[in-house]
Amino acid sequence: MGSPIRVSVVRVGGVAGGRRTACLDTDKLDESRANELRRLVEEANIAHVSEPTIRSTRDRDRFHFTLTVQQGSFQHSLTFAEERTPEQVQPLLEMVRKEGQPDLDDTQAV
Amino acid sequence: MTLCAILPPQILVAIARNGTPEQRRRALATLAVSERMRGRREVRASMLVAVPTGQKRRTVYDAQHATRLPGVRVRGEGDPDSGDAAVDEAYEGAGSTYDLYFDVFGRNSIDGQGMRLDSSVHYGVDYDNAFWDGAQMVYGDGDGDLFERFTISVDVIGHELTHGVTDHAARLEYHDQPGALNESISDVFGSLVKQRVRGEKAADADWIIGEGLFTSRVRGVGLRSLKAPGSAYADPVLGNDPQPSHMDNYDRSPEDNGGVHVNSGIPSHAFYLAAVAIGGFAWERAGRIWYDALTKRLAPDSDFAAAARATQAAAADLYGSGSAEEKAVRDAWSQVGI
């Protein structure tokens, strides 16, 4: 099974502005959802995604996301504009946003 | 409506500009006849200057909860109400925004040349946002928990369409102070659309952006307040409205392109102060000053100080050096720390 995985998402921007967080922890999920999270983390493989451009060129009022995966001593973050979401990251992002809880460890949250 | 040649040319030109498509067609035909009868070439010349190549051309698409744009065409220019609130609000709001730019500032659509006004509604699932993608407006339905559909506030529609205008005018970069200025201009003209629809004077308007957008669960009146930045909401889930109204509280976080939706409070509040000091309908003089700055004086890298200089110069040009308008603009920027 490997060590526990924690995935957090910070969403900023949008016409409304503001900051929203969500996180999912394999330790706090039932086995099937925990396995699904592990599968999506592997699929997203964010350590090997080349950093997409953060800045929007044409789009205005889009969201920006920072996705962070923690597993043991491994921690990796990726920040990207909504319209430049890497394809392989999309399913993981969706799962955390839909099933995640607000990230209480996020100290910047207002 | 029957148009008689007895109408003076300037009235016909006005109808040709502002009438329905059928009224426009008749007015143009009448002008052409008048010209032949009277041999007045200048009538045609003035008509060609006065009548832009385009006219209001709205199309609303239904993204059907997907994210592929634009989606299925559901309402075109002149079509009756669809019965779908999001579709009809997007259509009407685009019309009210077009009308502000055309009637008040003489601008024919986003690019000044009659660009089509395309909107897509029902974008994504529970999508808490509206955006401009560089070519069209896009609206989510909201999650229903915190946010209602994003077409519900006409100023949000004006905000998105104004991003298109800015891209065709000052082309302000979308980060840091130029980006916050870009956001502020969208809020300023969005607010003017709302005030004009309601017939409100500057002193009577609420200056709230996104009124009605929050569900009843949220403690707040809207997304932002130009009158009192930082006061629009204070909610356990959404937190507190983070907008500053003075440079002393400028947010230096790199998030959201350097706080473009936060620091916009500073120039927006300057506009509010100028508009109230000038008095009357905000779009008539304060709006004209800001429009003049946006279209003639600001550059892609303009910061707040450049905007202060640009709007003061515009006020001096339009209303005279030393005029009450120029003073109101100067004082307004001074009050926000510029």
Side-chain angles (χ1 to χ4, degrees):
Chain A
M1 283 299 296
S3 53
I5 298 180
R6 185 175 194 276
V7 184
S8 62
V9 172
V10 176
R11 188 188 83 187
V12 299
V15 68
R19 191 170 205 278
R20 303 289 298 280
T21 64
C23 70
L24 274 180
D25 210 315
T26 51
D27 270 1
K28 294 171 188 163
L29 294 170
D30 66 37
E31 194 181 332
S32 83
R33 296 316 290 160
N35 287 340
E36 176 67 358
L37 185 62
R38 287 179 189 280
R39 191 182 72 77
L40 294 181
V41 165
E42 196 173 320
E43 185 182 296
N45 194 16
I46 67 165
H48 294 92
V49 174
S50 55
E51 190 82 19
T53 307
I54 299 170
R55 203 157 277 168
S56 298
T57 47
R58 283 159 49 93
D59 290 59
R60 303 289 180 252
D61 294 331
R62 298 302 290 261
F63 292 126
H64 287 181
F65 297 104
T66 298
L67 179 78
T68 302
V69 175
Q70 287 171 269
Q71 183 174 23
S73 58
F74 171 87
Q75 175 170 326
H76 200 91
S77 288
L78 192 68
T79 298
F80 47 89
E82 177 185 14
E83 73 274 19
R84 292 169 187 265
T85 305
E87 204 174 331
Q88 73 268 35
V89 169
Q90 185 72 46
L92 177 62
L93 185 69
E94 278 305 301
M95 182 176 176
V96 178
R97 287 173 60 203
K98 276 185 188 152
E99 301 177 30
Q101 297 297 315
D103 186 355
L104 300 176
D105 293 347
D106 181 67
T107 51
Q108 288 186 72
V110 281
Chain B
M1 176 177 178
T2 306
L3 293 171
C4 304
I6 204 163
L7 288 173
Q10 65 270 26
I11 300 281
L12 289 166
V13 168
I15 294 168
R17 285 172 73 155
N18 303 321
T20 64
E22 179 58 17
Q23 288 165 354
R24 288 168 47 86
R25 191 188 61 73
R26 289 185 187 179
L28 287 167
T30 307
L31 277 166
V33 169
S34 308
E35 179 198 6
R36 280 199 299 276
M37 284 171 67
R38 298 173 193 159
R40 285 178 57 178
R41 287 175 185 277
E42 71 271 25
V43 172
R44 186 164 182 82
S46 74
M47 180 182 80
L48 290 173
V49 169
V51 182
T53 51
Q55 52 184 306
K56 206 188 292 177
R57 292 187 296 164
R58 292 166 287 180
T59 310
V60 184
Y61 299 85
D62 184 347
Q64 298 180 317
H65 305 290
T67 53
R68 193 175 296 118
L69 293 170
V72 179
R73 186 185 182 282
V74 283
R75 188 172 177 188
E77 189 63 46
D79 291 350
D81 275 9
S82 70
D84 178 328
V87 170
D88 295 332
E89 286 163 353
Y91 179 88
E92 294 299 332
S96 299
T97 306
Y98 178 97
D99 290 347
L100 171 80
Y101 280 106
F102 191 85
D103 298 348
V104 179
F105 308 124
R107 184 184 191 86
N108 183 16
S109 194
I110 288 166
D111 61 352
Q113 295 175 47
M115 179 174 166
R116 295 168 54 97
L117 303 174
D118 291 342
S119 313
S120 294
V121 298
H122 304 311
Y123 178 86
V125 177
D126 294 337
Y127 189 67
D128 280 341
N129 198 19
F131 64 89
W132 167 255
D133 82 341
Q136 68 159 99
M137 294 155 276
V138 183
Y139 304 96
D141 289 333
D143 55 24
D145 181 35
L146 300 169
F147 290 99
E148 301 282 357
R149 62 183 183 276
F150 275 69
T151 50
I152 208 163
S153 308
V154 72
D155 43 271
V156 170
I157 294 172
H159 176 110
E160 298 310 332
L161 200 153
T162 297
H163 276 309
V165 173
T166 297
D167 282 354
H168 284 90
R171 305 180 63 83
L172 285 158
E173 292 163 7
Y174 203 57
H175 61 89
D176 303 300
Q177 285 197 20
L181 204 51
N182 189 322
E183 274 301 312
S184 170
I185 282 163
S186 274
D187 276 355
V188 161
F189 288 93
S191 192
L192 292 181
V193 171
K194 175 177 161 184
Q195 289 173 35
R196 189 161 180 263
V197 165
R198 296 182 173 195
E200 289 173 338
K201 292 190 171 170
D204 303 326
D206 63 14
W207 296 90
I208 296 293
I209 296 293
E211 185 187 12
L213 189 50
F214 289 142
T215 64
S216 57
R217 291 188 191 89
V218 176
R219 288 189 216 152
V221 291
L223 301 177
R224 290 181 281 277
S225 167
L226 284 72
K227 183 175 181 175
S231 72
Y233 59 90
D235 181 78
V237 178
L238 290 177
N240 297 332
D241 174 0
Q243 281 213 308
S245 58
H246 192 281
M247 281 304 285
D248 287 350
N249 302 112
Y250 188 92
D251 181 354
R252 300 193 184 281
S253 159
E255 280 188 351
D256 191 20
N257 290 314
V260 296
H261 291 91
V262 175
N263 294 315
S264 57
I266 296 166
S268 291
H269 192 54
F271 179 80
Y272 161 81
L273 292 168
V276 170
I278 290 169
F281 295 115
W283 60 87
E284 286 184 342
R285 284 177 288 167
R288 170 146 289 286
I289 291 165
W290 253 246
Y291 180 78
D292 187 85
L294 172 66
T295 53
K296 295 180 189 156
R297 300 168 197 271
L298 291 174
D301 62 350
S302 291
D303 58 10
F304 294 175
R309 289 192 298 273
T311 49
Q312 280 172 56
D317 269 9
L318 290 167
Y319 301 104
S321 189
S323 62
E325 289 83 356
E326 187 197 16
K327 181 179 183 306
V329 171
R330 190 173 57 243
D331 289 350
W333 286 105
S334 167
Q335 285 180 71
V336 301
I338 303 287

